[in-house]
């Protein structure tokens, strides 16, 4: 989908300059547009990039995307995956179902990253926003309290644009991160992975269930997942030096390691290497990092794009609150404080999972599979996995869990949220305060006290309704 036609010239200044119109940048832009924040979004590419990459949109991501009007159409396009399985090619070792999760989206939506980006872009355009394509971030200098950014336009001519905040959504090789001098410590692995989207002649029993399945056999790990359009995703370690896997390479992987199915067409296939890195700071003064610019890890577990979209949801309302004067600039420090630990934990979790899945020694592999099968029957184990993968476990609370704590996610099944307004949920025994422009007010059954819910769906405060309104960081 191109969006270069009728795009206005870059203005001389903006409140927020967003670099990168991938899933993170598009989510941030659509959110800011919905909130009425002035921004400019640039991308060096001339269109949404073709390809699949992130194929799984997790329940927590769908909850946020519902607030910006994207989930319904996205879910309608994708395939619903009801669960996640580990299999040893003879039996299911472990199955975690999403069906019991406390969310309006008790499934993973399997849809290509290109489609997700197209839906985000469509929503941004509907809201009256735009992407300045063919514009490349070159560098910036401090222009207190903001920045002066140099951008190269389609003809290569340089232009300066001043911005109060600069947000790098420019991916793993982020030029914004480099220009801001923010370190990106971590490691790059030598192991090469094949990723292929294919069509099959016939699917085995396991495929009918539409689970995303890790096959863990002595021959090696293989991830197998249905996609929209009767396609399937295959991911498996590749031999060193392989660059473009052929159809017979993909078939061999399935035959050796996966379900007994015949590949009839390879739609796209490539290889990639995993890096595990988290930026030292997600904020450095007027510069903020979102998405892969801030963190990258193994695609095992399908979390990268999802984490980036939720970064954007965390940042959008904070930028709005600060730029409207409802909160001080220090609110933006909480973006790093909340999202850095989430990313660090995600990197550790996916690294552990990838290490466990790639055990090749036959004795160790048998032992691993036995442990996994035993773990599956431990009380709460598969529920824990489903909650973790769906990212519904993300919380910014510090204290021990006992009911809802400030910083916990408030399930939309308890307090629905279909836009980016704050929500005041009031016990049915109390009177409702008046609605305000940026605040939805509603009665909610079975509440002991009122809950003030942030635009990204986390608990901001609880107590008496009138007291909560005094703390509302919005106009
Ligand atoms: C093979 C593979 C499979 C994956 N599978 C999954 C999965 O199943 N689930 C999941 O959640 N994640 C998955 N991921 C990760 C996911 O693709 C990324 O996390 C996601 O693309 C990050 O989004 P982003 O918007 O942060 O960055 P990107 O998608 O990288 O977008 C960055 C944008 O910035 C633009 N840009 C870069 N530099 C500049 C510049 N100097 N000036 C202007 N524009 C610039 C680029 O053109 C691009 O449009 C996978 C990744 C790979 C490689």
């Amino acid at each position: 989908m191109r969006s270069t036609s009728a795009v206005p010239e870059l203005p001389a200044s903006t409140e927020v300059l967003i670099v990168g119109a991938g899933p993170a940048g598009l989510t941030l832009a659509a959110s800011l547009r919905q909130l009425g924040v002035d921004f400019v979004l640039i991308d060096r590419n001339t269109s949404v990039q073709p390809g699949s990459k992130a194929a799984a949109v997790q329940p927590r991501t769908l909850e946020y995307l519902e607030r910006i009007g994207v989930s319904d159409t996205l879910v309608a396009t994708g395939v619903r995956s009801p669960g996640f399985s580990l299999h040893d090619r003879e039996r299911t070792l472990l199955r975690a179902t999403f069906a019991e999760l406390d969310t309006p989206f008790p499934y993973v939506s399997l849809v290509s990253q290109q489609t997700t980006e197209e839906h985000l872009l469509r929503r941004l355009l509907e809201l009256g926003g735009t992407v300045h394509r063919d514009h490349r971030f070159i560098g910036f200098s401090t222009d207190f309290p903001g920045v002066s950014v140099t951008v190269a336009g389609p003809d290569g001519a340089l232009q300066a644009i001043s911005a109060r905040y600069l947000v790098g959504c420019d991916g793993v090789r982020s030029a914004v991160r480099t220009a801001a001098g923010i370190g990106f410590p971590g490691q790059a692995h030598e192991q090469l992975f094949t990723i292929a989207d294919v069509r099959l002649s016939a699917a085995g029993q396991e495929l009918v269930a539409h689970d995303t399945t890790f096959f863990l056999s002595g021959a090696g790990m293989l991830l197998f997942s249905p996609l929209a359009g009767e396609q399937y995703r295959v991911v498996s370690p590749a031999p060193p030096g392989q660059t473009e896997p052929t159809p017979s390479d993909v078939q061999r992987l399935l035959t050796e390691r996966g379900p007994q199915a015949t590949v009839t067409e390879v739609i796209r296939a490539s290889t990639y290497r995993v890096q595990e890195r988290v930026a030292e700071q997600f904020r450095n003064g007027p510069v903020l990092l979102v998405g892969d610019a801030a963190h990258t890890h193994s695609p095992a577990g399908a979390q990268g794009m999802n984490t980036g979209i939720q970064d954007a949801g965390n940042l959008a309302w904070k930028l709005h609150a600060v730029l409207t004067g409802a909160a001080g600039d220090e609110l933006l420090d909480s973006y790093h404080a909340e999202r850095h630990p989430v990313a660090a934990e995600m990197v550790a979790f996916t690294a552990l999972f990838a290490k466990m899945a790639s055990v090749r020694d036959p004795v160790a592999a048998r032992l691993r599979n036995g442990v996994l099968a035993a773990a599956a029957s431990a009380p709460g184990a598969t529920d824990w996995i489903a909650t973790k993968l769906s990212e519904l476990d993300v919380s910014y609370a510090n204290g021990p869990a006992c009911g809802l704590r400030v910083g916990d996610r408030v399930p939309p099944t308890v307090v629905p949220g279909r836009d980016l307004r704050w929500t005041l949920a009031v016990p049915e025994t109390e009177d409702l305060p008046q609605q305000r422009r940026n605040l939805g007010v509603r009665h909610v059954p079975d509440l002991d006290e009122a809950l003030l819910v942030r635009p990204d769906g986390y608990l901001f405060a609880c107590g008496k309704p009138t007291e909560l309104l005094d703390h509302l960081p919005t106009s």
Side-chain angles (χ1 to χ4, degrees):
M1 183 184 284
R2 292 179 72 90
S3 63
T4 43
S5 58
V7 170
E9 301 259 299
L10 275 192
S13 68
T14 182
E15 297 277 29
V16 183
L17 179 66
I18 306 170
V19 180
L26 287 167
T27 303
L28 182 63
S31 304
L32 292 182
R33 184 75 201 173
Q34 193 165 315
L35 288 162
V37 175
D38 169 60
F39 69 89
V40 167
L41 170 59
I42 62 167
D43 197 289
R44 65 184 176 194
N45 286 332
T46 53
S47 64
V48 166
Q49 289 305 285
S52 196
K53 291 208 297 188
V57 187
Q58 304 290 350
R60 183 69 189 104
T61 308
L62 291 170
E63 288 182 357
Y64 184 75
L65 293 182
E66 184 176 39
R67 291 175 174 268
I68 59 168
V70 175
S71 286
D72 288 354
T73 50
L74 194 61
V75 165
T77 321
V79 168
R80 295 182 188 195
S81 173
F84 167 85
S85 296
L86 299 177
H87 206 279
D88 70 358
R89 300 194 80 208
E90 286 171 9
R91 62 182 173 139
T92 299
L93 302 168
L94 176 154
R95 178 166 195 265
T97 171
F98 302 119
E100 305 300 323
L101 294 173
D102 185 12
T103 170
F105 303 97
Y107 48 82
V108 171
S109 184
L110 298 172
V111 61
S112 75
Q113 181 164 331
Q114 179 182 352
T115 305
T116 301
E117 290 184 27
E118 284 168 356
H119 281 269
L120 287 165
L121 176 59
R122 186 169 300 121
R123 183 64 184 140
L124 174 64
L125 301 180
E126 261 171 33
L127 289 163
T130 195
V131 184
H132 293 267
R133 297 252 178 225
D134 218 354
H135 283 76
R136 178 186 292 267
F137 168 88
I138 301 294
F140 77 91
S141 56
T142 305
D143 183 9
F144 188 81
V147 288
S148 174
V149 180
T150 306
V151 174
D155 56 2
L158 300 184
Q159 184 179 340
I161 172 167
S162 61
R164 177 65 189 83
Y165 294 105
L166 167 64
V167 187
C169 301
D170 50 343
V172 72
R173 294 195 181 86
S174 173
V176 173
R177 186 184 63 231
T178 305
I182 299 176
F184 200 37
Q187 54 180 333
H189 292 280
E190 276 305 302
Q191 176 66 58
L192 207 57
F193 285 85
T194 294
I195 177 166
D197 293 345
V198 303
R199 286 188 213 281
L200 302 175
S201 64
Q205 281 290 314
E206 293 78 11
L207 316 189
V208 178
H210 287 306
D211 275 2
T212 297
T213 303
F214 272 87
F215 287 88
L216 302 173
S217 70
M221 173 283 265
L222 184 137
L223 167 70
F224 185 82
S225 176
L227 298 177
E230 296 184 348
Q231 297 178 22
Y232 294 85
R233 159 75 51 97
V234 176
V235 180
S236 192
Q242 186 175 75
T243 46
E244 282 185 34
T246 62
S248 57
D249 291 332
V250 180
Q251 181 64 65
R252 192 169 53 248
L253 287 173
L254 274 187
T255 307
E256 284 176 6
R257 307 176 182 185
Q260 293 310 299
T262 305
V263 175
T264 55
E265 184 186 351
V266 174
I267 292 143
R268 58 185 82 80
S270 58
T271 55
Y272 67 89
R273 277 200 173 85
V274 171
Q275 295 190 58
E276 288 155 355
R277 299 180 188 279
V278 183
E280 280 166 346
Q281 297 152 277
F282 285 14
R283 176 184 191 196
N284 186 2
V287 182
L288 298 124
L289 301 176
V290 171
D292 275 19
H295 45 77
T296 184
H297 49 78
S298 162
Q303 307 291 314
M305 178 187 76
N306 288 275
T307 307
I309 287 175
Q310 287 166 57
D311 291 343
N314 185 290
L315 182 59
W317 70 265
K318 293 176 181 174
L319 284 169
H320 174 250
V322 171
L323 288 166
T324 53
D329 172 85
E330 64 281 359
L331 177 65
L332 294 174
D333 292 340
S334 72
Y335 169 66
H336 169 89
E338 292 186 341
R339 294 305 296 174
H340 188 278
V342 171
E345 195 194 322
M346 196 67 75
V347 171
F349 173 70
T350 53
L352 183 72
F353 184 80
K355 197 169 174 190
M356 182 272 297
S358 52
V359 168
R360 290 293 301 276
D361 174 72
V363 178
R366 259 199 310 280
L367 186 65
R368 170 201 60 198
N369 290 359
V371 169
L372 288 171
S377 54
T382 53
D383 290 348
W384 182 85
I385 293 171
T387 309
K388 181 95 198 147
L389 291 176
S390 60
E391 301 194 6
L392 296 181
D393 68 328
V394 170
S395 170
Y396 309 129
N398 291 319
C402 51
L404 276 184
R405 302 160 302 171
V406 168
D408 276 339
R409 162 183 166 267
V410 181
T413 46
V414 177
V415 180
R418 293 187 65 88
D419 54 33
L420 291 181
R421 290 185 303 164
W422 290 76
T423 305
L424 183 65
V426 179
E428 288 177 319
T429 48
E430 303 212 31
D431 292 337
L432 283 183
Q434 280 213 317
Q435 303 274 348
R436 297 188 190 176
R437 194 161 57 91
N438 290 316
L439 175 75
V441 176
R442 59 165 63 232
H443 272 137
V444 168
D446 304 324
L447 283 186
D448 296 331
E449 54 187 347
L451 307 177
L452 184 57
V453 184
R454 299 170 11 172
D456 58 353
Y458 292 88
L459 186 63
F460 185 75
C462 47
K464 288 265 161 227
T466 42
E467 287 164 15
L468 293 182
L469 289 179
D470 290 343
H471 297 295
L472 189 64
T474 185
S475 48

